Amino acid sequence: MAASAPTTKTTIPFYRDTRMIAIILQVAFAIVVLVGIWYLYTNMMAGLRRVNLLPNFGFLTTPAGFPIAESVIAYDPSMTYGRAFIVGVLNTLRVAITGIVLATLLGVLIGICRLSGNWLLRNTAVAYVEIVRNVPLLLQLIFWFLLTKAFPRVQESVNLGGLLYLNNRGVTMAWPEAGAAYGAWTPWLWVGLIAGVAFYAVRRYQFVQRDRPGVALPWAALIAGGIVLVGYFVAGLSGGGWPLVLDVPALQRFNFVGGLTVTASFAALLAGLVIYTAAFISEIVRSGIQAVNKGQREAARAVGLTNSQALRLVIFPQAMRIMIPPTTSQYLNLTKNSSLAIAIAYPDLFYVGNTINNQTGQAVPVILLLMLSYLSVSLLTSLLMNWYNKRIQLVER
């Protein structure tokens, strides 16, 4: 029997192996990118060294020396640049969080009005959306700022029921503050919070165990609110005063005393961001509702639900799964668009950072801090919205 010839395994030269070629090209590209970055970095450092402006973060511990018109926390010019930068971050968060809440409420309302059977309501919503989203945001901010400056002087403020005053310095309103019995009411707040969270967790666990849907959040909020409300009256009636009292502003010679004053810059920035962003959110809401299958509406009517009940219980929960991802983008846009506040002198993060850069000349560290701050806020917003989006998605079995 003849012996079989031994099999030889042929190897492909590396210069003809497509996998090796792909790896070599990627490595070469990475090397070119790193060399380019190193070249730009060394040139930048050489230029900054020549003008004695080497980047460092030591300036954050030196006194800032400039005032900030409004601040969420205590601040004065004798404090450090680091403190001033924190003030800018908090001012941005203040307008971003308030703007997101108000823009969502207004956007949902306008989006539902877009689908209304009422001719006037529907076309008013259409006109609002088409006008607002086609006018640049910067122009709208300047318009609202100039409008606030058209209000009368403080001594001639527009009085709205004695609780709200409009003038060219901003908006002054009555605001609740801690009263004599606030300390006695605090334990009730904690008890209400713990009871609400515990009820929500138990009900959600029961729904999962029984493998059926259910709503726990409204009942949890009702329980927590009921405990807090009972505690409010108990503390108020037994403590010789109410836990919260309304601080009503009073006009003095040159300005108001008491209450809460919102500056013209903040009011204009908030109004511009809310009205502009709500126009885009309304279109997301409209398209999300229209994307729900028509059979869902017919099924809701077949079981006897009214139009409002069908929208609230059947249509809108399903539309949320479509609306959340694009709405997240609008929240991020609102936060980043707040940097336009520099045009109307609101001391947000970018405004304060620009002032620090002008005084210290440390452009690179300041820009890095600005980028890191905006990136952190945006990533946190995306993380929360993605978590919520995952929770409301349908789970296929």
Side-chain angles (χ1 to χ4, degrees):
M1 185 169 131
S4 59
T7 58
T8 58
K9 186 178 179 181
T10 59
T11 58
I12 303 174
F14 77 92
Y15 55 85
R16 294 178 58 186
D17 190 341
T18 55
R19 291 176 299 178
M20 288 298 299
I21 293 175
I23 294 174
I24 292 172
L25 289 177
Q26 292 180 44
V27 171
F29 178 77
I31 293 174
V32 170
V33 170
L34 292 176
V35 169
I37 293 175
W38 177 254
Y39 175 76
L40 295 175
Y41 172 77
T42 53
N43 276 354
M44 180 190 71
M45 295 300 293
L48 292 174
R49 190 178 293 106
R50 282 195 298 269
V51 295
N52 197 27
L53 286 177
L54 284 175
N56 65 82
F57 293 91
F59 67 93
L60 292 174
T61 59
T62 60
F66 66 91
I68 298 179
E70 52 187 301
S71 171
V72 178
I73 58 176
Y75 173 81
D76 62 72
S78 63
M79 295 182 178
T80 63
Y81 283 112
R83 180 79 171 191
F85 193 85
I86 294 175
V87 170
V89 172
L90 295 178
N91 283 347
T92 294
L93 291 176
R94 175 192 181 196
V95 71
I97 295 173
T98 309
I100 285 173
V101 173
L102 296 180
T104 302
L105 296 176
L106 180 60
V108 170
L109 178 62
I110 298 298
I112 294 175
C113 290
R114 289 284 316 261
L115 302 173
S116 172
N118 185 294
W119 182 91
L120 179 60
L121 195 61
R122 182 176 66 255
N123 285 278
T124 301
V126 171
Y128 165 84
V129 171
E130 295 302 328
I131 291 174
V132 170
R133 71 177 182 175
N134 288 297
V135 177
L137 176 58
L138 180 59
L139 186 60
Q140 293 187 42
L141 292 179
I142 294 175
F143 167 79
W144 290 111
F145 182 69
L146 295 178
L147 184 63
T148 59
K149 292 302 181 182
F151 286 147
R153 299 180 305 166
V154 173
Q155 292 78 7
E156 302 167 355
S157 298
V158 178
N159 186 351
L160 300 178
L163 300 176
L164 185 68
Y165 296 89
L166 305 178
N167 53 69
N168 57 7
R169 294 185 183 179
V171 180
T172 301
M173 66 189 78
W175 196 255
E177 64 176 10
Y182 185 81
W185 186 44
T186 302
W188 290 87
L189 295 176
W190 286 107
V191 171
L193 177 62
I194 294 172
V197 172
F199 177 84
Y200 178 82
V202 171
R203 290 298 290 167
R204 291 299 304 175
Y205 177 77
Q206 291 176 346
F207 292 145
V208 172
Q209 291 297 108
R210 298 171 186 174
D211 194 20
R212 68 179 182 87
V215 178
L217 185 59
W219 288 104
L222 185 63
I223 291 174
I227 294 175
V228 170
L229 187 61
V230 170
Y232 181 86
F233 286 105
V234 170
L237 294 176
S238 61
W242 295 106
L244 293 177
V245 294
L246 196 62
D247 186 14
V248 180
L251 179 61
Q252 301 297 324
R253 184 175 180 183
F254 297 109
N255 207 345
F256 283 95
V257 175
L260 175 69
T261 298
V262 176
T263 64
S265 297
F266 178 79
L269 178 63
L270 184 62
L273 290 175
V274 168
I275 292 173
Y276 183 78
T277 308
F280 293 91
I281 293 179
S282 68
E283 286 296 276
I284 295 172
V285 172
R286 177 190 61 80
S287 60
I289 293 175
Q290 288 182 327
V292 177
N293 193 293
K294 185 179 179 180
Q296 298 294 321
R297 299 178 178 86
E298 296 173 349
R301 286 195 293 267
V303 297
L305 297 180
T306 64
N307 289 334
S308 61
Q309 289 175 332
L311 177 64
R312 179 169 54 90
L313 300 175
V314 179
I315 307 301
F316 205 79
Q318 297 182 64
M320 286 285 287
R321 302 185 181 103
I322 304 171
M323 295 187 301
I324 291 300
T327 302
T328 302
S329 298
Q330 293 305 318
Y331 289 168
L332 299 179
N333 287 338
L334 186 148
T335 303
K336 291 179 287 188
N337 286 338
S338 66
S339 61
L340 294 175
I342 193 171
I344 55 176
Y346 175 71
D348 75 320
L349 174 60
F350 186 72
Y351 181 97
V352 173
N354 189 54
T355 304
I356 294 175
N357 176 36
N358 290 337
Q359 291 195 1
T360 63
Q362 292 291 338
V364 175
V366 171
I367 293 298
L368 288 176
L369 288 173
L370 290 175
M371 293 173 61
L372 181 61
S373 300
Y374 281 114
L375 181 63
S376 301
V377 173
S378 297
L379 290 179
L380 179 60
T381 304
S382 298
L383 180 65
L384 293 175
M385 294 300 293
N386 290 337
W387 169 81
Y388 180 68
N389 184 47
K390 185 178 181 180
R391 282 186 57 86
I392 66 174
Q393 290 298 315
L394 288 174
V395 179
E396 299 183 358
R397 300 184 185 276

